Amino acid sequence: MEIRPIKTETDYEATLKEIEGLMAAAGGSPEGDRLDVLVTLVEAYERDHYPMDFPDPVEAIKFRMEQQGLTVDDLVPVIGRKNRVYEILARKRPLTLRMIEGLHETFAIPAESLLKHSTHRGSHAA
């Protein structure tokens, strides 16, 4: 089982292709063990070369709404009146700490996303 570090984009692409061929491997088999090691190498390479940042708070809320089929009315108990929800979604009003806590607890939106400062010019820090 010759396994080398992923150092270049070419190595990365070749490793992804090999992983694709091993996806049906049984756990605990030599192929399954190779798959585990290769996936770990790919994750390390991606963490260094393709870092993922958390979405901004409004995008995180909109994503969860779409994912769970939520409406503005579903957000009212956590954010406040309907017009306040629309202001948040339009980036005209910042989230308060109470809103962040409620969105995180009620809808399991990652707090890291909700606490991130928006890059929108008119926004305020939460």
Side-chain angles (χ1 to χ4, degrees):
M1 179 195 289
E2 181 188 335
I3 294 181
R4 298 175 297 118
I6 300 173
K7 295 181 180 178
T8 66
E9 191 68 23
T10 303
D11 293 341
Y12 173 70
E13 294 294 332
T15 305
L16 288 177
K17 188 171 183 131
E18 185 173 353
I19 286 172
E20 187 177 325
L22 293 170
M23 291 304 287
S29 69
E31 294 82 13
D33 291 345
R34 184 173 184 82
L35 176 63
D36 288 344
V37 173
L38 293 176
V39 167
T40 301
L41 289 172
V42 165
E43 287 172 347
Y45 183 85
E46 288 176 344
R47 194 171 31 254
D48 291 342
H49 293 85
Y50 304 108
M52 299 271 307
D53 200 8
F54 288 103
D56 80 350
V58 172
E59 291 305 315
I61 293 167
K62 288 179 177 179
F63 176 75
R64 183 65 71 199
M65 289 176 74
E66 181 180 318
Q67 195 177 44
Q68 295 182 351
L70 302 172
T71 65
V72 168
D73 290 329
D74 296 317
L75 300 179
V76 168
V78 175
I79 292 179
R81 294 183 310 249
K82 203 179 227 184
N83 66 328
R84 180 157 295 150
V85 174
Y86 282 116
E87 289 173 344
I88 295 291
L89 295 177
R91 302 174 196 277
K92 292 181 179 179
R93 178 184 289 270
L95 291 169
T96 66
L97 186 55
R98 182 189 65 76
M99 291 175 195
I100 291 169
E101 289 172 342
L103 289 165
H104 174 67
E105 291 171 8
T106 307
F107 301 111
I109 300 172
E112 295 88 350
S113 293
L114 295 170
L115 290 167
K116 181 178 175 184
H117 295 295
S118 175
T119 56
H120 182 67
R121 282 179 175 244
S123 68
H124 307 278

PDB file of all heavy atoms in Angstrom, residues 6 8-20 42 45 50:
ATOM      1  N   ILE A   6      -0.271  14.396  -0.578  1.00  0.00           N
ATOM      2  CA  ILE A   6      -0.814  15.153  -1.712  1.00  0.00           C
ATOM      3  C   ILE A   6      -0.130  16.516  -1.685  1.00  0.00           C
ATOM      4  O   ILE A   6      -0.357  17.306  -0.769  1.00  0.00           O
ATOM      5  CB  ILE A   6      -2.345  15.305  -1.598  1.00  0.00           C
ATOM      6  CG1 ILE A   6      -3.002  13.929  -1.580  1.00  0.00           C
ATOM      7  CG2 ILE A   6      -2.879  16.158  -2.741  1.00  0.00           C
ATOM      8  CD1 ILE A   6      -4.494  13.962  -1.297  1.00  0.00           C
ATOM      9  N   THR A   8       0.473  18.422  -4.879  1.00  0.00           N
ATOM     10  CA  THR A   8       0.116  19.262  -6.026  1.00  0.00           C
ATOM     11  C   THR A   8      -1.352  19.041  -6.399  1.00  0.00           C
ATOM     12  O   THR A   8      -1.992  18.083  -5.951  1.00  0.00           O
ATOM     13  CB  THR A   8       0.978  18.908  -7.257  1.00  0.00           C
ATOM     14  OG1 THR A   8       0.636  17.571  -7.678  1.00  0.00           O
ATOM     15  CG2 THR A   8       2.466  18.998  -6.937  1.00  0.00           C
ATOM     16  N   GLU A   9      -1.842  19.899  -7.242  1.00  0.00           N
ATOM     17  CA  GLU A   9      -3.214  19.764  -7.748  1.00  0.00           C
ATOM     18  C   GLU A   9      -3.360  18.467  -8.545  1.00  0.00           C
ATOM     19  O   GLU A   9      -4.395  17.816  -8.491  1.00  0.00           O
ATOM     20  CB  GLU A   9      -3.568  20.981  -8.604  1.00  0.00           C
ATOM     21  CG  GLU A   9      -5.024  21.095  -8.965  1.00  0.00           C
ATOM     22  CD  GLU A   9      -5.938  21.385  -7.780  1.00  0.00           C
ATOM     23  OE1 GLU A   9      -5.483  21.913  -6.750  1.00  0.00           O
ATOM     24  OE2 GLU A   9      -7.139  21.056  -7.892  1.00  0.00           O
ATOM     25  N   THR A  10      -2.304  18.076  -9.240  1.00  0.00           N
ATOM     26  CA  THR A  10      -2.319  16.819 -10.001  1.00  0.00           C
ATOM     27  C   THR A  10      -2.440  15.628  -9.049  1.00  0.00           C
ATOM     28  O   THR A  10      -3.224  14.701  -9.296  1.00  0.00           O
ATOM     29  CB  THR A  10      -1.047  16.688 -10.865  1.00  0.00           C
ATOM     30  OG1 THR A  10      -0.974  17.824 -11.726  1.00  0.00           O
ATOM     31  CG2 THR A  10      -1.058  15.429 -11.701  1.00  0.00           C
ATOM     32  N   ASP A  11      -1.681  15.656  -7.944  1.00  0.00           N
ATOM     33  CA  ASP A  11      -1.792  14.604  -6.920  1.00  0.00           C
ATOM     34  C   ASP A  11      -3.216  14.553  -6.371  1.00  0.00           C
ATOM     35  O   ASP A  11      -3.787  13.486  -6.174  1.00  0.00           O
ATOM     36  CB  ASP A  11      -0.833  14.855  -5.748  1.00  0.00           C
ATOM     37  CG  ASP A  11       0.633  14.746  -6.106  1.00  0.00           C
ATOM     38  OD1 ASP A  11       0.964  14.147  -7.144  1.00  0.00           O
ATOM     39  OD2 ASP A  11       1.458  15.265  -5.317  1.00  0.00           O
ATOM     40  N   TYR A  12      -3.765  15.727  -6.113  1.00  0.00           N
ATOM     41  CA  TYR A  12      -5.110  15.844  -5.554  1.00  0.00           C
ATOM     42  C   TYR A  12      -6.140  15.222  -6.493  1.00  0.00           C
ATOM     43  O   TYR A  12      -6.973  14.409  -6.079  1.00  0.00           O
ATOM     44  CB  TYR A  12      -5.408  17.326  -5.293  1.00  0.00           C
ATOM     45  CG  TYR A  12      -6.818  17.647  -4.872  1.00  0.00           C
ATOM     46  CD1 TYR A  12      -7.304  17.270  -3.626  1.00  0.00           C
ATOM     47  CD2 TYR A  12      -7.663  18.357  -5.719  1.00  0.00           C
ATOM     48  CE1 TYR A  12      -8.594  17.596  -3.240  1.00  0.00           C
ATOM     49  CE2 TYR A  12      -8.945  18.686  -5.334  1.00  0.00           C
ATOM     50  CZ  TYR A  12      -9.414  18.296  -4.090  1.00  0.00           C
ATOM     51  OH  TYR A  12     -10.690  18.617  -3.713  1.00  0.00           O
ATOM     52  N   GLU A  13      -6.083  15.587  -7.776  1.00  0.00           N
ATOM     53  CA  GLU A  13      -7.031  15.046  -8.760  1.00  0.00           C
ATOM     54  C   GLU A  13      -6.898  13.534  -8.876  1.00  0.00           C
ATOM     55  O   GLU A  13      -7.900  12.814  -8.952  1.00  0.00           O
ATOM     56  CB  GLU A  13      -6.815  15.708 -10.127  1.00  0.00           C
ATOM     57  CG  GLU A  13      -7.140  17.191 -10.164  1.00  0.00           C
ATOM     58  CD  GLU A  13      -8.610  17.505  -9.960  1.00  0.00           C
ATOM     59  OE1 GLU A  13      -9.464  16.661 -10.306  1.00  0.00           O
ATOM     60  OE2 GLU A  13      -8.902  18.598  -9.448  1.00  0.00           O
ATOM     61  N   ALA A  14      -5.662  13.036  -8.897  1.00  0.00           N
ATOM     62  CA  ALA A  14      -5.437  11.587  -9.006  1.00  0.00           C
ATOM     63  C   ALA A  14      -5.980  10.862  -7.777  1.00  0.00           C
ATOM     64  O   ALA A  14      -6.575   9.776  -7.889  1.00  0.00           O
ATOM     65  CB  ALA A  14      -3.945  11.298  -9.172  1.00  0.00           C
ATOM     66  N   THR A  15      -5.821  11.464  -6.608  1.00  0.00           N
ATOM     67  CA  THR A  15      -6.318  10.845  -5.375  1.00  0.00           C
ATOM     68  C   THR A  15      -7.842  10.824  -5.365  1.00  0.00           C
ATOM     69  O   THR A  15      -8.450   9.829  -4.965  1.00  0.00           O
ATOM     70  CB  THR A  15      -5.761  11.584  -4.136  1.00  0.00           C
ATOM     71  OG1 THR A  15      -4.334  11.614  -4.208  1.00  0.00           O
ATOM     72  CG2 THR A  15      -6.184  10.892  -2.860  1.00  0.00           C
ATOM     73  N   LEU A  16      -8.466  11.901  -5.814  1.00  0.00           N
ATOM     74  CA  LEU A  16      -9.936  11.919  -5.900  1.00  0.00           C
ATOM     75  C   LEU A  16     -10.443  10.824  -6.829  1.00  0.00           C
ATOM     76  O   LEU A  16     -11.438  10.153  -6.531  1.00  0.00           O
ATOM     77  CB  LEU A  16     -10.432  13.282  -6.391  1.00  0.00           C
ATOM     78  CG  LEU A  16     -10.332  14.446  -5.414  1.00  0.00           C
ATOM     79  CD1 LEU A  16     -10.802  15.732  -6.078  1.00  0.00           C
ATOM     80  CD2 LEU A  16     -11.130  14.179  -4.145  1.00  0.00           C
ATOM     81  N   LYS A  17      -9.755  10.642  -7.934  1.00  0.00           N
ATOM     82  CA  LYS A  17     -10.152   9.604  -8.890  1.00  0.00           C
ATOM     83  C   LYS A  17     -10.013   8.211  -8.261  1.00  0.00           C
ATOM     84  O   LYS A  17     -10.875   7.352  -8.420  1.00  0.00           O
ATOM     85  CB  LYS A  17      -9.311   9.717 -10.159  1.00  0.00           C
ATOM     86  CG  LYS A  17      -9.773   8.823 -11.262  1.00  0.00           C
ATOM     87  CD  LYS A  17      -9.048   9.139 -12.551  1.00  0.00           C
ATOM     88  CE  LYS A  17      -9.611   8.258 -13.643  1.00  0.00           C
ATOM     89  NZ  LYS A  17      -9.953   8.976 -14.824  1.00  0.00           N
ATOM     90  N   GLU A  18      -8.934   8.005  -7.516  1.00  0.00           N
ATOM     91  CA  GLU A  18      -8.739   6.715  -6.853  1.00  0.00           C
ATOM     92  C   GLU A  18      -9.814   6.492  -5.785  1.00  0.00           C
ATOM     93  O   GLU A  18     -10.349   5.396  -5.652  1.00  0.00           O
ATOM     94  CB  GLU A  18      -7.345   6.632  -6.232  1.00  0.00           C
ATOM     95  CG  GLU A  18      -7.063   5.268  -5.644  1.00  0.00           C
ATOM     96  CD  GLU A  18      -5.640   5.089  -5.158  1.00  0.00           C
ATOM     97  OE1 GLU A  18      -4.795   5.976  -5.376  1.00  0.00           O
ATOM     98  OE2 GLU A  18      -5.395   4.032  -4.546  1.00  0.00           O
ATOM     99  N   ILE A  19     -10.143   7.535  -5.034  1.00  0.00           N
ATOM    100  CA  ILE A  19     -11.192   7.439  -4.016  1.00  0.00           C
ATOM    101  C   ILE A  19     -12.514   7.033  -4.659  1.00  0.00           C
ATOM    102  O   ILE A  19     -13.239   6.188  -4.134  1.00  0.00           O
ATOM    103  CB  ILE A  19     -11.335   8.768  -3.242  1.00  0.00           C
ATOM    104  CG1 ILE A  19     -10.157   8.942  -2.283  1.00  0.00           C
ATOM    105  CG2 ILE A  19     -12.662   8.838  -2.495  1.00  0.00           C
ATOM    106  CD1 ILE A  19     -10.093  10.304  -1.623  1.00  0.00           C
ATOM    107  N   GLU A  20     -12.827   7.626  -5.792  1.00  0.00           N
ATOM    108  CA  GLU A  20     -14.070   7.303  -6.504  1.00  0.00           C
ATOM    109  C   GLU A  20     -14.146   5.803  -6.805  1.00  0.00           C
ATOM    110  O   GLU A  20     -15.192   5.180  -6.658  1.00  0.00           O
ATOM    111  CB  GLU A  20     -14.139   8.114  -7.791  1.00  0.00           C
ATOM    112  CG  GLU A  20     -15.445   7.997  -8.515  1.00  0.00           C
ATOM    113  CD  GLU A  20     -15.478   8.878  -9.759  1.00  0.00           C
ATOM    114  OE1 GLU A  20     -14.898   9.975  -9.732  1.00  0.00           O
ATOM    115  OE2 GLU A  20     -16.096   8.444 -10.752  1.00  0.00           O
ATOM    116  N   VAL A  42      -6.945  13.769   1.531  1.00  0.00           N
ATOM    117  CA  VAL A  42      -7.696  14.756   0.750  1.00  0.00           C
ATOM    118  C   VAL A  42      -8.260  15.843   1.667  1.00  0.00           C
ATOM    119  O   VAL A  42      -8.197  17.033   1.353  1.00  0.00           O
ATOM    120  CB  VAL A  42      -8.815  14.084  -0.077  1.00  0.00           C
ATOM    121  CG1 VAL A  42      -9.817  15.110  -0.589  1.00  0.00           C
ATOM    122  CG2 VAL A  42      -8.218  13.310  -1.241  1.00  0.00           C
ATOM    123  N   TYR A  45      -5.498  18.214   2.567  1.00  0.00           N
ATOM    124  CA  TYR A  45      -5.149  19.051   1.415  1.00  0.00           C
ATOM    125  C   TYR A  45      -6.209  20.138   1.206  1.00  0.00           C
ATOM    126  O   TYR A  45      -5.873  21.318   1.011  1.00  0.00           O
ATOM    127  CB  TYR A  45      -5.009  18.187   0.162  1.00  0.00           C
ATOM    128  CG  TYR A  45      -4.574  18.961  -1.055  1.00  0.00           C
ATOM    129  CD1 TYR A  45      -3.226  19.208  -1.300  1.00  0.00           C
ATOM    130  CD2 TYR A  45      -5.508  19.447  -1.967  1.00  0.00           C
ATOM    131  CE1 TYR A  45      -2.812  19.915  -2.418  1.00  0.00           C
ATOM    132  CE2 TYR A  45      -5.111  20.163  -3.083  1.00  0.00           C
ATOM    133  CZ  TYR A  45      -3.766  20.397  -3.312  1.00  0.00           C
ATOM    134  OH  TYR A  45      -3.379  21.112  -4.417  1.00  0.00           O
ATOM    135  N   TYR A  50      -8.248  24.856   0.075  1.00  0.00           N
ATOM    136  CA  TYR A  50      -9.608  25.318  -0.226  1.00  0.00           C
ATOM    137  C   TYR A  50     -10.361  25.600   1.077  1.00  0.00           C
ATOM    138  O   TYR A  50     -11.380  24.968   1.354  1.00  0.00           O
ATOM    139  CB  TYR A  50     -10.378  24.265  -1.030  1.00  0.00           C
ATOM    140  CG  TYR A  50      -9.703  23.855  -2.315  1.00  0.00           C
ATOM    141  CD1 TYR A  50      -9.113  22.607  -2.442  1.00  0.00           C
ATOM    142  CD2 TYR A  50      -9.676  24.710  -3.394  1.00  0.00           C
ATOM    143  CE1 TYR A  50      -8.497  22.217  -3.621  1.00  0.00           C
ATOM    144  CE2 TYR A  50      -9.059  24.334  -4.588  1.00  0.00           C
ATOM    145  CZ  TYR A  50      -8.470  23.090  -4.685  1.00  0.00           C
ATOM    146  OH  TYR A  50      -7.867  22.712  -5.849  1.00  0.00           O
TER     147      TYR A  50
END
